[in-house]
Amino acid sequence: MATSSLKGFLTARAHIQNFSAASLLEPHWGYADRVIPCVVDAGSCEYLDAVYGGHDIGMLYMGIFWSSVLGILLIWAVARRCFDAASSSPSSPTTASPESQTGPRVSSLTRLQNTIASFSRNSFLPNAPISIFGHTTRLQVLVLGILTAYLTVLTFAGITYKTWITPVKNQPPGVNNTRTSLGPWSDRIGTIAYALTPLSILLASRESLLSLLTGVPYTSFLFLHRWTGYLILVQSILHTIGWIVIEAKLYQPQPAVWDGFVQSEYIIWGFVALGLLILLWFFSLGWTIRNITGYEFFRKVHYILAMVYIGAAIGHWEALQCFLVPGLVLWACDRLARLVRMGMLHYGCVGPEDGQGKWQFKAAQAESKIWTDSKHGDVVRLDFGHRQAPWKIGQHFFLCFSDSTIWQSHPFTPLSVPEADEKGEVRHSYIFRAKGGETKKVAGLLKRQLGQGAEGKTTLSVIMQGPYGERIIDGVSAGDTNVLAVAGGTGITYVLPVLLSAARARQGNVGQGNKMEIVWAVKREQDLEWVRPELDELRRLGDVKIRVFVTDGGHLPDAEEKKTVEGDKEASAVGILGSSLSSSSSNEASEVEGTGRPGVNALVTQFVEDIALGRTIVFGSGPPGMVGDLRSAVASCNSGRRVWKGEERFDVELVCDDRLEW
């Protein structure tokens, strides 16, 4: 609502200010101008002092809040740059003698940093109560708790708590308004809800400014985005309840005051905004997504409802659009940056090699394999080369399969090591299980193409956005760290490039005594064929222990096994591929250590206990339950006290892929 509209609203009812007789108007940012001097009764003047004073202090608090956020980000960014510069500076480490077996000496500062990190993991790495917060760490919940406590203090501070009984103009004696601190408090909590809106959008951005400053991947902010939205909803409900009580009970005469209140345009917009917030909450529930809408419906509706909500919020109180317009700008910049990054990957010269080609947009053409599995869902592997700068190990791309639809994209982690060849092309390899939705449609499309026998192979057009995420290989390739990788199913794509890169880098560095091991749980023994070339390379390098657990038996049903084996003969290396146990290599048979789900806690604990020297990084990717078990296991292996004493094996770090956790 514009300032002039606010004047009319305040004149007509609650504040009884006579703007037409005003000798001076005192401006207030985010509120209506105030008439100076106050010419109504003493009680109403005191109430106006409380209303305007509370609002001004609330706006000051929101300025302090955003200054605090920006200050923390600035300090974080500077400290990160300084730390990275210190870490990359050349040094001359002192190597311990073979007799000491205590590892290289480290500086007191480094030991202090490692001690604090180990203590923090032991305390804050395990999952918080899953029934309340989902699959997230105690650290995330701690940050949420600090934010909530801070906002709670700002909600109640600086408000005059008092009750005023004031007469109603043109009403008989005894008809009075009861003015309380509920009005300023309801305004304050509404202001905070508006101020949190751009923060919520900032936390949800894929092209994240927060990630650019802090180095933390955007996926780590999604938990706070979700719960910031919940805070906004609760604040909006309390704001609405407060003013309903005031207008329907405390102000007189009734029902005339209430009837005029609910017919006001700005109030109608307020109810619309609250209704949209409730819809946003309902459609974001995991139960709703799993059982009613599906993820793609949620994602698209979430965008639409959020933007309409901001418009309705501006209609409700236009004077506070200083908080809402930046939210729209952040959202628009995020969408524009995605398009720019996609164009940078796919727009180039297409045509003859003599340079006479045309500049145009071109999708990558991926060779495709598919392993049929009627019980658990078919698995698809995509392989293609693309001219681009290599990404960092641990990053992922959003892939759009344009042969199916251009309106959906899904995040996938490349299982290939990002290395450019002499032509500047980088090899991409992806694996995904087609359980439902778009991935199931893609699997069906590939099956139909293979059924047509298109020269024994099939291709799929792929449009990429990215890369996103963080580099996770730091501290591994040099050989001074023990590495344990734990993966479930297609989660192998996250950990495999780490091991391949580290094993290649460690070639020729003998006598270090550091361990590398991978534990992979698959449904069937045939699933090893998904990454057969990569597993064979790991065995050739000979620096990684491979342990495979089959959780659901080794053989396909007879009819399906026959179908996939015959499909393999017909489709060669890029057709429908399957492998019976009888055709498995002896090396493959030796890789399978057991059946059933491996005990994650026992695996991690045993690995750490067997370490002779150095710290450990555990890489994990798989179902949320497995990631939660990894967090608990790694946390229990950390001991800040023993790290301070120089026992590095109790410095255990977890790096996990949490993009799909909910």
Side-chain angles (χ1 to χ4, degrees), residues 119-138:
F119 172 79
S120 300
R121 294 186 205 109
N122 181 263
S123 302
F124 302 119
L125 182 58
N127 274 348
I130 295 176
S131 59
I132 301 174
F133 299 105
H135 295 274
T136 194
T137 65
R138 294 175 186 172

Side-chain angles (χ1 to χ4, degrees), residues 46 298 632:
E46 288 186 18
F298 151 74
S632 298

Side-chain angles (χ1 to χ4, degrees), residues 393 415-419 471 473-474 476-478 495-507 516 537-538 541 543-544:
I393 292 178
L415 66 89
S416 48
V417 177
E419 296 176 347
R471 174 185 168 93
I473 196 68
D474 292 333
V476 174
S477 299
V495 303
L496 200 52
V498 175
L499 295 170
L500 286 169
S501 177
R504 292 173 185 175
R506 294 188 183 189
Q507 289 298 293
M516 290 199 299
E537 181 180 355
L538 281 180
L541 294 172
D543 213 16
V544 181

Side-chain angles (χ1 to χ4, degrees), residues 381-645:
R381 172 165 177 156
L382 305 176
D383 294 278
F384 59 92
H386 194 74
R387 186 173 297 178
Q388 64 177 103
W391 62 91
K392 299 174 182 177
I393 292 178
Q395 293 185 312
H396 61 274
F397 289 82
F398 278 77
L399 303 186
C400 170
F401 306 111
S402 56
D403 291 337
S404 175
T405 179
I406 62 171
W407 300 110
Q408 292 189 30
S409 62
H410 297 267
F412 298 102
T413 302
L415 66 89
S416 48
V417 177
E419 296 176 347
D421 61 16
E422 63 278 2
K423 296 181 179 180
E425 286 194 351
V426 185
R427 192 69 178 171
H428 288 252
S429 297
Y430 300 92
I431 293 174
F432 61 86
R433 188 180 292 276
K435 288 186 175 181
E438 182 63 18
T439 54
K440 190 172 184 178
K441 288 173 58 180
V442 170
L445 175 65
L446 294 177
K447 285 182 179 179
R448 290 193 297 272
Q449 291 179 349
L450 289 168
Q452 296 171 1
E455 299 182 0
K457 63 180 182 180
T458 184
T459 58
L460 186 69
S461 296
V462 178
I463 300 174
M464 298 180 290
Q465 285 184 1
Y468 300 100
E470 61 180 336
R471 174 185 168 93
I472 63 175
I473 196 68
D474 292 333
V476 174
S477 299
D480 56 355
T481 302
N482 302 283
V483 177
L484 172 63
V486 183
T490 56
I492 190 68
T493 60
Y494 184 77
V495 303
L496 200 52
V498 175
L499 295 170
L500 286 169
S501 177
R504 292 173 185 175
R506 294 188 183 189
Q507 289 298 293
N509 297 328
V510 297
Q512 295 187 19
N514 298 100
K515 296 175 55 181
M516 290 199 299
E517 182 176 306
I518 179 171
V519 179
W520 186 21
V522 294
K523 297 292 185 182
R524 315 171 304 169
E525 191 168 354
Q526 290 91 336
D527 296 344
L528 300 180
E529 295 299 327
W530 304 344
V531 291
R532 172 57 56 197
E534 291 76 16
L535 290 179
D536 289 344
E537 181 180 355
L538 281 180
R539 280 199 301 272
R540 287 195 303 270
L541 294 172
D543 213 16
V544 181
K545 181 179 180 181
I546 302 173
R547 304 172 65 186
V548 177
F549 292 82
V550 178
T551 63
D552 196 30
H555 285 283
L556 290 166
D558 291 341
E560 189 169 335
E561 183 176 348
K562 179 179 179 181
K563 176 182 176 182
T564 55
V565 174
E566 292 177 351
D568 183 25
K569 295 177 181 178
E570 294 177 1
S572 185
V574 290
I576 298 181
L577 185 66
S579 174
S580 66
L581 291 180
S582 60
S583 64
S584 299
S585 66
S586 59
N587 284 334
E588 177 181 325
S590 66
E591 290 167 0
V592 178
E593 182 167 317
T595 59
R597 299 181 183 277
V600 171
N601 185 69
L603 288 172
V604 175
T605 302
Q606 188 62 49
F607 183 87
V608 174
E609 288 178 351
D610 293 342
I611 288 173
L613 293 173
R615 63 192 299 269
T616 297
I617 300 181
V618 179
F619 295 90
S621 181
M626 189 203 80
V627 173
D629 292 341
L630 274 176
R631 287 172 176 162
S632 298
V634 170
S636 66
C637 291
N638 276 275
S639 173
R641 178 177 58 86
R642 302 184 74 168
V643 171
W644 177 251
K645 292 180 178 180

